[in-house]
């Protein structure tokens, strides 16, 4: 594009990340109860020989597309069985269960439409050789989009050399969904706070009158049942109950097999009725203060109607905890956590009003309030709105915050601010021209004229920036940290 860019020298990496339609997961193919019985009946009327022939053919067609397709078929059979009123099918031979399960299985291509909005963090497992040679293993997360615009989080791994160049590891076309580990008990106060934030608590207040301070899903179901028995519910009451269960389903843990490659793991919306999208996870390696790190990623959950700010937590990228972010400050998209505490408190960059940049402090990662305005749109290429491009990076001169701005014709450009180290509510320097704008070859895509990022990394004097182009594909650039800082202009108070 013809925007005048900053004088920071940008080095483009000779690689790109494109959607790969071969990467498919399996999902339960649900039908209404009458049709389920009909399918069972049709399959069981086949001869043993015919059933075995069909099952053998199905397994041959799909065993190279999934790690354990028999397990998939068996699990889906068990799930479908839960919807039926009779138990005679429990004693079916295993082969019949597998064949029936295959009929209630579908494939979903998680990257068929887009692979974009990346973030990057150090890999939790560095090798001694890499550390000795000043190389850095990294994990890049992406937002993957498939049919129906359902978004999930996928990962790739690679290695940065001393010059900030990245060599990506081979990735698998196989994809594994995690095992869900449901929370046993839930906090009553957390639910009250979040429902209040969303304007639904007073509508269903009496549901909580029957619950203890911690409750199980069974106890909640019983209380909702009593609430429904009082009479026909209004639309607002039905919406409030739907939101209540959405929050319930949005707090859980997931776990991947120990032998899975990082590229085989996908954090996928739990179902089309729960969450349609996991949007724009901004991963950061957070310093715990004892030499260890925990990886966090604020993201936006979307169920087709409302958004729900969520937080991913992991130490090893095998097991993840998913929880809801609460408080009046947790009401919008685009939150990015600082990589360490500031004056003993967690700190987060936010955009609470869809337009300006804010910062919030908290004693809890899951509760945010009292946003402090730190920056309004200032330059023409960000006149519509301004947001962050990932967590701030700590430098000797201040907190480096890469931003994105939306300008004319909804064109996105990336910029940079420098925040005071001790008081990051103060902007002490700025880049007056865009750091990165869409190249002519990047302008076309699902959303034209967009460059966007969810995280950067500092390594050996280089800033490595994975970014998305037009909400379709992703690339990587690098630039010298000092070059950027030297081109920034001091901001007068």
């Amino acid at each position: 594009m013809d925007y005048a860019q900053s004088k920071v020298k940008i080095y483009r990496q000779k690689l790109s990340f494109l959607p790969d339609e071969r990467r498919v997961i399996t999902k339960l193919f649900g039908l209404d109860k009458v049709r389920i019985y009909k399918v069972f009946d049709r399959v069981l009327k086949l001869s043993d020989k015919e059933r075995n022939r069909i099952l053998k053919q199905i397994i041959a067609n799909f065993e190279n597309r999934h790690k354990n397709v028999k397990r998939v078929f068996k699990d889906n059979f068990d799930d479908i069985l839960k919807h039926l009123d009779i138990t005679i099918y429990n004693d079916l031979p295993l082969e019949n269960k597998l064949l029936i399960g295959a009929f209630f299985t579908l494939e979903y291509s998680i990257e068929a439409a887009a692979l974009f909005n990346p973030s990057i963090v150090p890999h939790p497992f560095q090798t001694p050789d890499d550390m000795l040679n000043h190389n850095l293993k990294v994990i890049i997360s992406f937002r993957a989009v498939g049919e129906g615009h359902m978004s999930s989080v996928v990962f790739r791994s690679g290695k940065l050399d001393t010059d900030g160049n990245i060599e990506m590891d081979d990735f698998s076309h196989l994809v594994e969904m995690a095992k869900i580990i449901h929370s046993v008990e839930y906090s009553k106060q957390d639910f009250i706070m979040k429902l209040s934030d969303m304007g639904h608590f007073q509508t269903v207040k009496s549901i909580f009158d029957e619950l203890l301070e911690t409750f199980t899903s069974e106890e909640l179901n019983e209380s909702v049942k009593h609430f429904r028995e009082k009479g026909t519910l209004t639309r607002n009451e039905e919406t409030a109950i739907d939101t209540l269960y959405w929050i319930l389903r949005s707090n859980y843990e997931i776990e991947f097999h120990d032998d899975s490659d990082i590229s085989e793991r996908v954090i996928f919306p739990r179902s089309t009725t729960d969450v349609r999208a996991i949007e724009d996870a901004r991963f950061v390696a957070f310093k715990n203060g004892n030499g260890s790190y925990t990886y966090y990623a604020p993201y936006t959950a979307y169920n087709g109607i409302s958004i729900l700010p969520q937080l991913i937590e992991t130490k090893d990228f095998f097991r993840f905890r998913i929880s809801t972010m609460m408080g009046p400050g947790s009401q919008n998209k685009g939150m990015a956590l600082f990589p360490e505490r500031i004056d003993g408190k967690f700190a987060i960059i936010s955009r609470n009003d869809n337009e300006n940049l804010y910062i919030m402090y908290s004693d809890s990662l899951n509760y945010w309030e009292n946003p402090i305005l730190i920056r309004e749109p200032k330059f023409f290429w960000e006149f519509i709105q301004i947001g962050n491009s990932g967590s701030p990076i700590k430098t000797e001169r201040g907190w480096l915050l890469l931003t994105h701005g939306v300008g004319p014709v909804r064109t996105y450009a990336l910029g940079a601010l420098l925040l005071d180290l001790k008081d990051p509510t103060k902007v002490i320097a700025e880049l007056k021209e865009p750091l990165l704008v869409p190249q002519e070859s990047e302008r076309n895509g699902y959303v034209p004229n967009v460059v966007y990022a969810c995280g950067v990394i500092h390594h050996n004097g280089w800033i490595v920036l994975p970014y998305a182009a037009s909400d379709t594909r992703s690339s990587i650039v690098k630039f010298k940290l000092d070059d950027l800082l030297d081109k920034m202009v001091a901001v007068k108070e």
Side-chain angles (χ1 to χ4, degrees):
M1 298 193 69
D2 292 333
Y3 282 8
Q5 279 189 246
S6 71
K7 302 301 182 183
V8 177
K9 185 171 179 57
I10 301 294
Y11 300 83
R12 296 185 177 273
Q13 304 283 285
K14 294 181 179 180
L15 77 164
S16 59
F17 302 92
L18 303 174
D20 187 345
E21 60 191 19
R22 299 173 302 167
R23 288 166 55 81
V24 294
I25 60 172
T26 58
K27 296 173 61 181
L28 182 68
F29 183 32
L31 300 171
D32 63 70
K33 189 178 295 186
V34 173
R35 293 183 66 188
I36 291 174
Y37 278 118
K38 287 182 177 179
V39 172
F40 270 70
D41 185 58
R42 289 164 185 156
V43 172
L44 295 177
K45 282 182 177 179
L46 297 172
S47 67
D48 290 345
K49 182 178 180 180
E50 185 71 0
R51 284 196 296 267
N52 290 336
R53 183 189 67 80
I54 296 172
L55 178 61
K56 184 177 180 180
Q57 182 180 354
I58 293 170
I59 290 174
N61 286 339
F62 289 93
E63 63 182 352
N64 292 326
R65 296 168 67 88
H66 307 281
K67 276 194 167 183
N68 191 345
V69 73
K70 291 183 180 180
R71 168 52 61 189
V72 171
F73 295 160
K74 176 60 168 55
D75 287 347
N76 285 346
F77 172 86
D78 292 340
D79 284 343
I80 284 293
L81 209 59
K82 297 174 185 176
H83 298 277
L84 304 184
D85 301 321
I86 57 179
T87 60
I88 58 173
Y89 300 122
N90 291 336
D91 298 326
L92 288 176
L94 177 60
E95 290 74 13
N96 290 355
K97 292 180 179 180
L98 296 180
L99 180 57
I100 292 172
F103 281 96
F104 295 100
T105 300
L106 64 82
E107 285 189 331
Y108 181 89
S109 179
I110 59 173
E111 297 176 13
L115 188 69
F116 64 119
N117 293 3
S119 71
I120 182 171
V121 291
H123 199 293
F125 306 112
Q126 303 287 332
T127 68
D129 285 346
D130 286 334
M131 297 173 68
L132 183 65
N133 295 317
H134 303 288
N135 296 326
L136 183 69
K137 292 177 64 180
V138 294
I139 292 175
I140 304 179
S141 68
F142 297 89
R143 177 180 171 187
V145 177
E147 175 192 353
H149 206 73
M150 290 194 67
S151 301
S152 55
V153 179
V154 297
F155 304 98
R156 303 284 194 275
S157 60
K159 183 188 299 183
L160 293 174
D161 65 18
T162 54
D163 292 323
N165 299 310
I166 190 165
E167 180 181 353
M168 299 303 299
D169 298 330
D170 293 335
F171 71 93
S172 173
H173 74 276
L174 300 175
V175 188
E176 175 191 345
M177 289 182 65
K179 175 185 176 183
I180 296 176
I181 305 168
H182 298 276
S183 297
V184 178
E185 291 188 332
Y186 302 89
S187 166
K188 178 178 177 178
Q189 189 59 35
D190 286 351
F191 275 69
I192 291 174
M193 282 194 297
K194 194 60 193 179
L195 286 168
S196 298
D197 293 341
M198 301 174 77
H200 292 304
F201 174 64
Q202 291 300 325
T203 306
V204 290
K205 181 177 180 297
S206 61
I207 290 177
F208 290 88
D209 292 341
E210 298 184 22
L211 299 175
L212 298 173
E213 291 307 308
T214 59
F215 61 89
T216 65
S217 58
E218 290 79 11
E219 290 169 338
L220 177 63
N221 292 339
E222 189 66 23
S223 186
V224 170
K225 179 182 176 182
H226 294 162
F227 184 80
R228 289 186 178 278
E229 290 171 349
K230 295 177 181 178
T232 303
L233 302 188
T234 66
R235 179 177 297 181
N236 286 342
E237 289 171 332
E238 289 286 6
T239 300
I241 290 175
D242 288 344
T243 304
L244 168 59
Y245 278 108
W246 182 25
I247 297 172
L248 183 83
R249 290 186 294 259
S250 297
N251 291 266
Y252 58 98
E253 294 186 10
I254 57 175
E255 188 173 47
F256 293 93
H257 290 296
D258 291 343
D259 62 351
S260 66
D261 184 77
I262 184 70
S263 66
E264 295 175 343
R265 303 170 209 160
V266 55
I267 302 178
F268 191 79
R270 292 180 55 186
S271 80
T272 55
T273 56
D274 296 344
V275 184
R276 292 193 59 80
I278 298 175
E279 297 183 355
D280 305 343
R282 288 164 161 84
F283 278 88
V284 62
F286 185 86
K287 293 182 180 179
N288 293 321
N290 57 3
S292 68
Y293 289 83
T294 301
Y295 297 86
Y296 296 104
Y299 74 91
T300 304
Y302 179 61
N303 69 349
I305 301 174
S306 304
I307 64 170
L308 190 67
Q310 294 280 98
L311 184 68
I312 299 173
E313 175 184 347
T314 184
K315 289 184 177 294
D316 54 14
F317 285 84
F318 283 102
R319 184 161 182 155
F320 297 79
R321 180 175 180 263
I322 316 294
S323 58
T324 300
M325 302 177 77
M326 295 169 290
S330 303
Q331 298 298 313
N332 221 309
K333 296 184 176 183
M335 302 172 78
L337 189 68
F338 278 73
E340 60 184 63
R341 290 177 184 260
I342 298 176
D343 288 334
K345 292 184 177 293
F346 298 107
I348 202 165
I349 298 292
S350 59
R351 189 175 65 200
N352 298 72
D353 57 5
N354 282 321
E355 182 181 3
N356 306 302
L357 278 177
Y358 293 80
I359 187 172
M360 293 183 285
Y361 297 96
S362 179
D363 293 320
S364 168
L365 283 165
N366 289 93
Y367 187 84
W368 298 94
E369 61 181 349
N370 302 323
I372 302 168
L373 177 67
I374 60 172
R375 178 75 170 198
E376 297 177 345
K378 183 175 181 179
F379 305 113
F380 84 92
W381 44 273
E382 59 184 20
F383 274 177
I384 298 295
Q385 66 192 44
I386 186 173
N388 70 72
S389 290
S391 294
I393 294 174
K394 191 175 187 179
T395 75
E396 292 181 353
R397 303 192 210 180
W399 289 104
L400 175 62
L401 177 66
L402 297 193
T403 65
H404 67 261
V406 184
V409 201
R410 199 178 62 167
T411 298
Y412 279 65
L414 303 190
L417 299 174
L418 196 65
L419 311 180
D420 187 85
L421 274 180
K422 294 183 178 180
D423 182 7
T425 64
K426 298 178 180 178
V427 178
I428 59 176
E430 64 192 8
L431 196 63
K432 290 191 173 183
E433 299 84 18
L435 176 67
L436 195 69
V437 300
Q439 291 186 307
E440 191 61 34
S441 61
E442 297 172 332
R443 293 183 59 189
N444 295 319
Y446 187 75
V447 181
N449 306 310
V450 172
V451 286
Y452 196 91
C454 288
V456 299
I457 197 168
H458 178 214
H459 174 60
N460 202 35
W462 290 94
I463 298 294
V464 179
L465 169 62
Y467 71 97
S470 297
D471 279 18
T472 304
R473 56 205 176 274
S474 299
S475 300
I476 297 182
V477 296
K478 67 173 185 174
F479 49 88
K480 282 286 192 179
L481 172 62
D482 286 342
D483 186 20
L484 171 59
L485 295 177
D486 290 343
K487 298 296 192 301
M488 299 180 80
V489 178
V491 174
K492 297 180 180 179
E493 292 203 24

